[in-house]
Amino acid sequence: MITIQDLDNIVGGKIANELGKTIIRNNFPPSIAERMCDAIDANEKAEHFQRLMQEWMECQQRQQQIVQAFLQQWYGK
């Protein structure tokens, strides 16, 4: 489950990435800067996708535990 700390980390990471991209754009030629910024964006998307998959797996585990508990209670196994 996403916590307040997780949200703080997401926002902090986004701010840091945007600042980093601004520094890159100000110090590198446009063609190089754009590729570097694209890499930062891709990494950010991958981190969000990884978090989504982790949340989904945790949800699936909770659902499985609930079903197993119900079956044990209902069938006594």
Side-chain angles (χ1 to χ4, degrees):
M1 178 170 249
I2 293 179
T3 64
I4 297 297
Q5 182 64 42
D6 293 329
L7 293 175
D8 286 345
N9 291 342
I10 290 168
V11 171
K14 182 68 173 174
I15 291 169
N17 286 344
E18 292 302 319
L19 288 173
K21 291 190 308 185
T22 299
I23 292 168
I24 289 168
R25 287 186 182 110
N26 289 332
N27 291 296
F28 289 92
S31 61
I32 295 172
E34 209 49 45
R35 284 186 271 167
M36 292 173 75
C37 291
D38 287 346
I40 290 171
D41 289 339
N43 186 56
E44 185 177 1
K45 289 176 186 176
E47 288 173 357
H48 290 306
F49 181 73
Q50 183 179 15
R51 181 66 187 182
L52 172 68
M53 292 305 299
Q54 180 182 348
E55 287 286 325
W56 184 78
M57 291 298 292
E58 289 172 5
C59 181
Q60 293 296 313
Q61 289 172 348
R62 284 192 302 272
Q63 287 179 351
Q64 184 179 19
Q65 290 169 349
I66 291 168
V67 169
Q68 287 175 343
F70 171 79
L71 291 175
Q72 286 177 345
Q73 183 180 16
W74 187 257
Y75 294 108
K77 292 184 179 183

